[in-house]
Amino acid sequence: MQLSVSSFALAAMSVLVAGSLSVGALTAEADASGGGGQPTTLAAPMPIGTDIAPPEQDQIRIEHTVIIRVPRAPANPRKGSLKPDRTNWAEEKMGNCLMIKKIAGVRVSTASTLELLTVDGHQVRAYLNKDCEAREFYSGFYIEKPKDGNFCKGREVLHARSGAECRVTKFRLLKPR
């Protein structure tokens, strides 16, 4: 969104110029000792744009960014303990995107994958770029909310508190065997 300051400045100047024109038209009677009763003008009207500097062209940009924090989830959410979940999982293909509002937490799964826990009880494995380490995201991650509200592979960047940045290469839905 851009706001042009010059249009506001022009509107303000037109009010000021109109005010000075009305003041310039005022007349006063000269005092009886020197003027002989002839009216004299207090200020001559100034033609528009003669001694006025051109308005400055400034722009203001207002940006609105929403950053979402995905917190760390316990290792075993069903029992509430921090012991690793020993369930043997099978991976199933899923779409390229996941709704951000459905992500409840994250935990490190392997050296290059994260497990995203959803509010409806599903688990999604997110594979990171080959140059990223999942342990950087042990305490969760931050993500900028996209306009469509979806977290898509290859598009959004995960930000760790340590400064690491990674993209997800694929998502897989986890089902117990």
Side-chain angles (χ1 to χ4, degrees):
M1 177 176 150
Q2 293 184 354
L3 174 69
S4 176
V5 178
S6 61
S7 62
F8 176 74
L10 288 175
M13 284 182 15
S14 65
V15 170
L16 291 175
V17 169
S20 67
L21 290 176
S22 63
V23 169
L26 293 178
T27 58
E29 292 289 325
D31 60 271
S33 62
Q38 295 294 337
T40 58
T41 58
L42 293 176
M46 184 172 65
I48 295 176
T50 54
D51 289 330
I52 299 175
E56 231 178 83
Q57 295 292 327
D58 291 332
Q59 293 183 353
I60 298 173
R61 181 173 297 227
I62 299 172
E63 294 181 358
H64 183 71
T65 304
V66 176
I67 304 294
I68 297 173
R69 180 179 179 269
V70 177
R72 180 182 67 146
N76 191 351
R78 295 172 201 209
K79 297 179 184 174
S81 70
L82 293 177
K83 294 180 182 177
D85 188 6
R86 300 288 182 210
T87 307
N88 195 5
W89 298 99
E91 292 184 358
E92 291 183 5
K93 286 187 177 183
M94 63 174 284
N96 295 332
C97 297
L98 181 66
M99 292 181 66
I100 289 181
K101 67 181 181 179
K102 288 191 173 187
I103 301 173
V106 63
R107 64 179 172 224
V108 176
S109 177
T110 65
S112 62
T113 62
L114 299 172
E115 286 183 13
L116 304 173
L117 307 174
T118 63
V119 293
D120 53 359
H122 291 98
Q123 293 187 24
V124 176
R125 184 164 287 157
Y127 286 84
L128 302 176
N129 285 344
K130 59 183 174 183
D131 58 339
C132 294
E133 294 184 20
R135 66 180 178 193
E136 296 283 342
F137 300 96
Y138 72 93
S139 65
F141 62 85
Y142 296 91
I143 186 170
E144 186 174 331
K145 183 178 180 184
K147 292 182 181 182
D148 64 357
N150 289 328
F151 170 33
C152 296
K153 72 174 190 175
R155 188 177 73 175
E156 276 71 48
V157 177
L158 302 177
H159 300 275
R161 292 183 69 177
S162 64
E165 295 179 347
C166 290
R167 292 186 192 271
V168 172
T169 59
K170 66 181 175 179
F171 292 113
R172 292 291 184 252
L173 184 63
L174 297 177
K175 298 274 185 170
R177 289 187 185 181

